[in-house]
Amino acid sequence: MSIVPPPQTAPSPTPHRLGVHLVEGGVSVGVMAAHATAMHMCVFHEDGSETRYALNGPQNGLWHAFIPGIEQGAKYGFRATGPWQPRKGHRYNPHKLLLDPYGRGIEGRMARSPEPGAKALLSNRSDIDTAPFMPRSVVTAPPSGEWQTPLPHVPFEDSVIYEVHVKGFTKTMPGVPEELRGTYAGLAHPVAIQHLKDLGITSVELLPVHAFADEPHLEREGLTNYWGYSTMSFFAPHAPYATREARDKGAQAVQDEFCGMVDLLHQAGLEVILDVVYNHTSEAGWGDRTISWRGLDNRTYYRAQTHAPQHYDDVTGTGNTLDFAHPRVTQMALDSLRYWVTEMGVDGFRFDLAATLGRTGQGFTPDHPFLVGLVTDPVLSGVKLIAEPWDVGLGGWQVGNFPQPFSEWNDRFRDSVRSFWLTTGAGAHGNRHHPTAPELATRLAGSSDLFGHSDPPGMRGCIASINFVTAHDGFTAHDLTAYSRKHNEANGEDNRDGTDNNRSYNHGIEGATEDEAINAERRRSIRNLLGTTLLAAGTPMLLGGDELGRTQGGNNNAYCQDNEISWFDWNLEPWQQDLKESIAHLIALRRAHRVLRPRAFYEAVEEVLLDSPLRPEAGWFQADGTHENEDWWEDPATRTVQFMRSLQDPREPDALLVINGSRGPADVVIPPDEGTAWIYSWDSALDNVKDLEPDVLQPGDTFSMEPMAMRLFLSKVD
């Protein structure tokens, strides 16, 4: 090991530029560590030796230098010297090799217990050198730019989002070469793209692809962090998702493979949205691993309890929370986001536990500097921004409170749709129902109660609501209909993990069954859940595999299951193919008819001018075709409703959605005074969409509606 003092003469560095960047003759280096007393960049050579370069600083909290002779592919880390004063929030230890928070590439892996010496990573004050057990940051060049296909820029109202795991999607996909399965390149393979295009997807939302680490408790159980919500770097793509060939070539090839995937998806017209985790890191609680931020400036990066800096203020449930009240944390997140857009080419972001990102010392505020900076940034304000609008801290549920142009996951939609079709629908006992019809109506109309209170009112529109009934966290759509309780035994936590608020119903038998009557009811329930998602006003999101009836065997928290529990099973039975075709048909209708994908909230107008041939924008009707009234809405037994929507454009069809949420058939009358004929266009009661006969019904016609089903009619246009 050799130590090189700070350079006395060198090209002028840019101390405000963080990270390690290739410049003529070497690299510029910048790292934030305001409370450190010394900082070294440690470069590792092929023979295993280490050279430590002292950095200049701190200047406004930053350490910096120009280091000549460092080239692309160099492997490095940092060592920070400073006070060991946990009671004041300082945890400096130069024996800890630290990853670059701005590093664009990572090679190697974290030591896994019970390998010898691995405990050094868990002991903050240990004098054991952790370099042998740590991965390395890698100097990379910017992507070449040779593949920069223009971004698709799909408007929210035209978007159908598909949440999917890079590995699980193609791990067993037929037609994808073995060496590409479960990789970035596999996701961009023509067979994978064809599935997405056949389904009608516009935007893939990838579970975390920022480099991440497995938690120690999972390693002890022989499990891994499959979902990836344990960030190790906010700038480097997760190397294990790259092909073996790319990994062997190094971090630059991993970066290039990711960019190539994005470009191929863009060529197919598909957007790439990243699920990003800026609320916490893989360093977990104060007694856990020191990987990067804790060793550089624990007091700055992490939220601490006000009168006890040695204890973290954990509002994420992971052990630590990044402190977005500090400007440098806000800067790091914004710099990372711009990098993924401008250099890696992605189209948007879904922010995990986004309430954390708007927290100050007084709680959440939509005027937080990070949120203001994000929505006013000339680059970032032009991409898709989606919030998971909650965390586990006090005042953590913030649905509807994020600033424009954010859209938000709508858990009220998820819960009310599940309840209507399952717990108070198919799973109800007796004749008493909770009054869920008005709640369902609000969700179908775009959830203006949640997203309509902007200034001016309604400015965000219904597209601000990301409508979903399932996501990675929880049951799949199939399992919602096949399990009344969670089955997470494989996770090693005695089935204590995962939510108990599933609002699911097993239709009479827990788990798989050969009873065809029960299986038929389950399939109809799946179509009801997904159909409601796709036909409601707002932006629909599907969990990848729901269109195939994918099951996780009742596991509703498969975060640690990198195996057949989580991977797609592409050995499809006929009913699964039928389900896919039914959902694809519904998405095609949505794409073809603007009335099914409004951008703005419906005006609260029940009538139009007497001499106008046009319908109101929206209207609700009873089963007998008469207009809704307050007594009918407030009746807990109301389970059959009709929802009519219009663009008020005679060149475009209007839509009539009929829902029978009761457990018996219902006679339904097409509203008699509502204009022209209606074409029967989709029915959740049909297993196979090919069985749909496009009948034409006239105003005032009566038809028999199957129990627990929904139908879509489109008006006939001359």
Side-chain angles (χ1 to χ4, degrees), residues 391-528:
D391 62 19
V392 301
L394 185 66
W397 191 79
Q398 294 294 332
V399 177
N401 291 334
F402 280 73
Q404 196 181 27
F406 265 98
S407 291
E408 304 174 37
W409 276 24
N410 187 348
D411 62 336
R412 289 279 295 276
F413 181 96
R414 176 198 65 200
D415 292 349
S416 62
V417 171
R418 288 186 183 187
S419 292
F420 184 86
W421 288 117
L422 297 175
T423 53
T424 64
H429 297 282
N431 295 318
R432 184 175 181 179
H433 299 294
H434 295 287
T436 57
E439 172 82 5
L440 181 70
T442 301
R443 303 303 147 225
L444 285 170
S447 297
S448 62
D449 60 329
L450 299 174
F451 303 104
H453 52 82
S454 57
D455 184 19
M459 180 175 62
R460 299 178 69 188
C462 57
I463 59 170
S465 176
I466 301 297
N467 296 334
F468 70 107
V469 290
T470 53
H472 65 277
D473 187 1
F475 279 146
T476 65
H478 171 276
D479 289 357
L480 281 174
T481 71
Y483 297 91
S484 291
R485 60 185 184 277
K486 65 189 180 185
H487 296 268
N488 298 353
E489 291 80 8
N491 297 353
E493 299 181 41
D494 297 325
N495 210 37
R496 294 189 301 269
D497 61 307
T499 182
D500 292 312
N501 182 28
N502 296 297
R503 305 187 187 217
S504 60
Y505 174 55
N506 65 14
H507 291 78
I509 295 179
E510 188 76 358
T513 179
E514 298 296 324
D515 189 319
E516 183 51 35
I518 289 178
N519 286 330
E521 290 180 3
R522 290 175 175 178
R523 293 195 291 268
R524 182 179 300 186
S525 289
I526 294 173
R527 292 190 294 271
N528 286 331

Side-chain angles (χ1 to χ4, degrees), residues 170 173-177 180 184-194 264-265:
T170 64
M173 181 179 276
V176 176
L180 302 185
Y184 299 125
L187 180 60
H189 188 273
V191 172
I193 289 176
Q194 192 62 53
L264 288 170
L265 291 170

Side-chain angles (χ1 to χ4, degrees), residues 83-130:
W84 177 263
Q85 297 175 329
R87 290 185 179 275
K88 294 184 178 180
H90 302 310
R91 297 179 177 275
Y92 287 101
N93 185 342
H95 299 291
K96 302 289 185 183
L97 182 70
L98 308 172
L99 291 173
D100 181 1
Y102 277 67
R104 268 54 169 174
I106 291 180
E107 290 184 19
R109 54 183 289 276
M110 198 83 65
R112 299 180 65 167
S113 56
E115 293 177 12
K119 290 183 179 179
L121 295 179
L122 302 178
S123 176
N124 287 312
R125 202 171 184 180
S126 169
D127 60 0
I128 298 175
D129 183 6
T130 62

